[in-house]
Amino acid sequence: DFATPRAVLTGHDYEITCAAICAELGLVISGSKEGPCLIHSMNGDLLRTLEGPERLQGPESCLRPKLIQASREGHCVIYYENGLFCVFSVNGRLQATMEADDKIR
């Protein structure tokens, strides 16, 4: 028996750098090297695009996600390469941001 993919998730233009699966909500959240994070259903449907804050200018304006975690309550925490944490709802709404001076792993 061979395992076959349940779904193929599309939408990113660059390589995936991080991903999280929230089985309780049936969601897959992924981030790519040069783009926004995307929320897909487990069936492969693209549901939302998570855009970072618009207040950044210059070379930091392109946020590069490094870590993603989703909760069963419907929140998604994303840590970006520049030290920025963002909390989104699964509806795609930015709820909070925080900058960290330390390197997070």
Side-chain angles (χ1 to χ4, degrees), residues 2 12 42 48 53 57 89 99:
F2 292 100
H12 289 292
M42 293 265 201
R48 300 272 187 272
Q57 299 290 326
S89 70
E99 291 188 41

Side-chain angles (χ1 to χ4, degrees), residues 8 16-19 24 31 48 51 56 60 78 82 93 99:
V8 176
I16 304 299
T17 57
C18 51
E24 294 87 3
R48 300 272 187 272
E51 298 283 352
L56 297 174
E60 292 183 354
I78 303 172
N82 63 357
R93 184 175 180 163
E99 291 188 41

Side-chain angles (χ1 to χ4, degrees), residues 27-85:
L27 300 175
V28 178
I29 305 166
S30 58
S32 69
K33 184 178 178 182
E34 297 285 338
C37 295
L38 302 178
I39 299 178
H40 288 86
S41 70
M42 293 265 201
N43 298 326
D45 299 321
L46 178 61
L47 303 175
R48 300 272 187 272
T49 300
L50 303 177
E51 298 283 352
E54 298 176 8
R55 62 183 170 80
L56 297 174
Q57 299 290 326
E60 292 183 354
S61 64
C62 181
L63 298 176
R64 294 178 177 93
K66 290 191 75 165
L67 300 170
I68 294 179
Q69 185 62 47
S71 74
R72 55 180 76 152
E73 289 82 23
H75 296 97
C76 176
V77 178
I78 303 172
Y79 173 69
Y80 293 97
E81 195 173 78
N82 63 357
L84 185 68
F85 278 97

